[in-house]
Amino acid sequence: GPIDLLVTNLMIRDLDGPELAERAIKLRPRLKVMFLAERMEDVLAKEEAIRAGTVVIKPFTPVGLAERVREVLESNNQSMAVADRARS
């Protein structure tokens, strides 16, 4: 079936988030990506690699995360490289 959004941690032990996203986008070119990051330093370290996705900095509330997911899914722009905290 269709997969509209990949939500993954930016920093993963064996395979980092941008590499996972790159592989997934090769299989599903219209896939949108949302990276979850612990710290802004992580985002800056991976800045070049995350251009194809949105970044949400932890901590976030369930409502804040749901709002960001809705924004990404409703966006026509596949690469919304926006770093912020999803809180409400």
Side-chain angles (χ1 to χ4, degrees), residues 36-74:
L36 307 179
E38 295 284 334
R39 308 170 312 204
M40 192 58 158
E41 293 81 22
D42 296 339
V43 175
L44 296 174
K46 299 283 186 179
E47 189 173 3
E48 286 295 315
I50 61 173
R51 292 182 187 221
T54 297
V55 178
V56 178
I57 306 294
K58 297 176 185 178
F60 46 78
T61 65
V63 171
L65 179 61
E67 288 172 356
R68 294 296 289 147
V69 166
R70 186 176 316 111
E71 288 174 18
V72 171
L73 289 175
E74 291 176 353

Side-chain angles (χ1 to χ4, degrees), residues 12-41:
I12 303 173
R13 180 171 293 180
D14 295 326
L15 174 74
D16 70 357
E19 187 177 341
L20 173 64
E22 184 179 317
R23 290 181 184 187
I25 289 170
K26 284 182 183 177
L27 297 173
R28 297 183 183 270
R30 299 181 68 132
L31 183 68
K32 294 181 181 182
V33 179
M34 179 180 288
F35 298 105
L36 307 179
E38 295 284 334
R39 308 170 312 204
M40 192 58 158
E41 293 81 22

